[in-house]
Amino acid sequence: MNMQQKATPTGIASVEECDAFFAAHPEIENVQIFFVNQSGVPRGKNLRKRDVRGIFEYARMIPGTMLALDINGEDVEESGLVMSDGDADRLGRPVPGTLQPARWLDNDFAQVMLSVYELDGAPCNVDPRHVLTSVVDRFKELDLTPVIACELEFYLMDQKTPGQGPASPVSGHRSKHIQAYGLRELDDFQPFLDDLYAFGEAAGLPLESAISENAPNQFEVGLVHRADALRATDEAQVFKRLVKGTAMRHGLEATFMAKPHNGLAGSGQHLHVSLADENGKNAFASDDPTGNDLLKFAIGGMKALLGDAMAIFAPNANSYKRFQANLYAPVAPTWGVNNRTVSFRVTAGPASSRHVEHRICGADANSTLAVAALLAAIHHGITHKIDPGAPIVGDGYTLAAEQGLSLPRHWNLALDAFANSTAMRDYLGPRFHQMFTAIKRSEYDRYHAQVTELDYDWYLRNA
């Protein structure tokens, strides 16, 4: 039996998918292949059409260091994937359903996402997609399936003046006010939004409602819930590429940075989660607005492992500047019903739609890893039947301050908590746990070794 006749392993796209795509899209001449490592930065290369089929027949070789680069693309020797590993190649194999037109690049461009495997065909256990798969598999023993949607906020910036809000291409107006849910703010950037929806549809990416968020030039566009956590996070990764690429086409810069502006709301990545039973019904469904025991145990796990997972939910130095009271960012391990001042919000609506909105993540977090850490906490809470305590009623910010409740507010403390967490090591895997810790500690050291303008402003004359 030759290579093309062998059955395609589950989770890897087939040659037939490749052939069908190019038959349906004869205009495509270029394909951008990419994968997303732990930092959340897509990395890959541009290929000509003639080079793509070989990836579907076998794979594309990927240097192991690509899995362990820091956010700026620098090697981290302590990861164990650089010189000590000989910078050995791994296999990059195509993810089913991700070979799609990438109109934001050009009309003759497509893209395909890769997942990483060892040379013997085993899933590479530091690829975030495989990390998430291993967590999702634990729910099979409970006859439950996670249902996930990622909700990402982002800012549009002036491309020529980073940090400054752009003038509207429609009206020329430069917004200075919050105008949450403002319709004129959407109208001002309708050409961008029109292309975002058109390019998203071409890429097979289901986009829902668009809103102007809680700051000037901050937006949110919804993604659909999926009873397939891996697909939901793959779509979130593609969504970031779509938004950034479409913004570039309009002379704008889109950023998912957690806190781009002083005094304004940061950008969150709200993770909406429920669990489906073996019949596909919502296992959190309850006429009680506070939810049933299963939902409460899930929240208990979210609270119990929040500190352990904070380095995943808030992975960068800038991430921790987002956690400020009264700016719609969480500040404590609290939960409540229909309450946006808490970290874990049980949403309003009919019993059949009962789910939790996990509000901790910044938009800068790797969606795949964030969902893996969230589901690890839910599994932990359910299997240990952890009581979350009473829900917060009213102003969660004030009550958290009165009770002395707080999130890990500093990057180094979050990294230490993650490094010392036996739960994260167990759920995410020892090798990934070691690698992520090494990379983020290296980033921490590099970041804090830099002398900034703030250092000069505060200390040059005064020290």
Side-chain angles (χ1 to χ4, degrees):
M1 182 181 291
N2 64 34
M3 183 65 66
Q4 295 182 34
Q5 293 173 321
K6 291 181 180 178
T8 304
T10 302
I12 301 172
S14 67
V15 175
E16 289 75 18
E17 181 178 332
C18 176
D19 291 343
F21 174 81
F22 284 112
H25 297 280
E27 77 280 6
I28 299 297
E29 294 293 337
N30 302 286
V31 177
Q32 196 165 79
I33 61 172
F34 74 98
F35 72 99
V36 182
N37 67 11
Q38 86 300 320
S39 71
V41 179
R43 301 191 185 277
K45 60 175 63 178
N46 288 355
L47 299 180
R48 299 293 288 169
K49 175 180 178 179
R50 61 178 175 269
D51 298 321
V52 175
R53 197 173 194 272
I55 299 175
F56 286 77
E57 290 175 333
Y58 179 60
R60 187 79 181 190
M61 292 298 181
I62 295 177
T65 48
M66 297 296 101
L67 293 160
L69 298 176
D70 72 8
I71 199 164
N72 291 317
E74 294 191 45
D75 289 340
V76 179
E77 181 62 46
E78 295 83 355
S79 69
L81 289 174
V82 190
M83 300 307 173
S84 60
D85 186 55
D87 192 12
D89 278 341
R90 268 77 179 175
L91 303 175
R93 288 178 163 164
V95 174
T98 63
L99 178 58
Q100 297 284 359
R103 302 292 190 218
W104 63 90
L105 295 173
D106 213 336
N107 288 332
D108 66 346
F109 259 88
Q111 67 170 8
V112 64
M113 179 184 285
L114 303 183
S115 198
V116 184
Y117 294 77
E118 302 292 350
L119 296 186
D120 64 2
C124 178
N125 56 15
V126 296
D127 180 336
R129 296 186 79 256
H130 298 313
V131 172
L132 173 56
T133 298
S134 69
V135 178
V136 171
D137 284 346
R138 297 209 184 193
F139 285 85
K140 293 177 181 177
E141 68 195 34
L142 305 176
D143 292 323
L144 294 170
T145 300
V147 179
I148 295 288
C150 301
E151 188 179 81
L152 288 142
E153 297 167 340
F154 61 92
Y155 275 90
L156 292 179
M157 302 268 194
D158 189 299
Q159 199 176 79
K160 296 179 180 178
T161 311
Q164 180 175 319
S168 162
V170 176
S171 67
H173 175 70
R174 196 180 297 272
S175 181
K176 297 179 182 178
H177 303 289
I178 292 174
Q179 299 294 4
Y181 278 61
L183 294 177
R184 288 203 64 182
E185 283 61 38
L186 294 177
D187 296 344
D188 275 342
F189 290 94
Q190 196 59 49
F192 161 78
L193 292 170
D194 286 343
D195 276 354
L196 190 71
Y197 279 98
F199 296 159
E201 183 177 356
L205 189 64
L207 300 181
E208 296 192 318
S209 59
I211 61 172
S212 173
E213 265 292 347
N214 200 48
N217 309 303
Q218 187 188 39
F219 300 90
E220 177 186 283
V221 178
L223 294 168
V224 300
H225 286 77
R226 294 290 190 195
D228 179 342
L230 199 57
R231 182 177 179 186
T233 60
D234 286 347
E235 290 177 345
Q237 303 289 10
V238 172
F239 175 72
K240 282 190 170 184
R241 284 175 50 78
L242 169 67
V243 170
K244 286 176 174 286
T246 305
M248 290 287 288
R249 289 286 291 263
H250 287 264
L252 304 168
E253 185 72 44
T255 182
F256 292 88
M257 185 177 175
K259 183 70 172 179
H261 297 297
N262 292 322
L264 294 175
S267 290
Q269 178 175 188
H270 301 154
L271 305 176
H272 292 255
V273 59
S274 62
L275 296 173
D277 64 21
E278 55 191 342
N279 297 314
K281 302 295 185 181
N282 183 2
F284 285 167
S286 171
D287 290 328
D288 182 349
T290 64
N292 57 22
D293 284 345
L294 189 71
L295 182 146
K296 290 174 183 174
F297 293 153
I299 293 175
M302 294 180 201
K303 291 181 67 177
L305 293 189
L306 177 56
D308 298 50
M310 196 69 183
I312 296 283
F313 299 141
N316 304 310
N318 177 263
S319 306
Y320 295 83
K321 298 178 181 180
R322 171 175 160 258
F323 300 114
Q324 297 179 23
N326 303 314
L327 285 175
Y328 292 98
V331 296
T334 52
W335 76 284
V337 179
N338 194 21
N339 189 335
R340 285 185 171 84
T341 69
V342 300
S343 295
F344 312 120
R345 180 175 78 105
V346 180
T347 60
S352 60
S353 70
R354 193 80 66 228
H355 71 277
V356 182
E357 179 188 42
H358 182 279
R359 297 172 59 82
I360 299 292
C361 281
D364 57 337
N366 181 318
S367 302
T368 309
L369 293 179
V371 170
L374 167 60
L375 293 180
I378 290 174
H379 186 274
H380 178 76
I382 291 173
T383 55
H384 290 84
K385 298 184 177 180
I386 298 175
D387 183 354
I392 292 286
V393 177
D395 183 355
Y397 295 121
T398 299
L399 292 172
E402 290 174 352
Q403 297 175 26
L405 301 174
S406 179
L407 302 175
R409 296 287 295 276
H410 299 283
W411 196 15
N412 62 322
L413 298 180
L415 291 175
D416 287 345
F418 180 83
N420 295 324
S421 172
T422 56
M424 288 296 103
R425 187 177 188 272
D426 174 44
Y427 277 104
L428 306 185
R431 191 176 180 214
F432 174 84
H433 182 260
Q434 177 275 326
M435 184 202 71
F436 184 86
T437 301
I439 291 168
K440 286 300 172 181
R441 280 182 165 164
S442 175
E443 281 186 18
Y444 177 89
D445 290 342
R446 290 172 180 176
Y447 181 88
H448 284 282
Q450 297 298 311
V451 179
T452 69
E453 289 299 318
L454 191 61
D455 287 291
Y456 288 123
D457 185 44
W458 282 27
Y459 306 121
L460 183 67
R461 289 172 61 93
N462 299 323

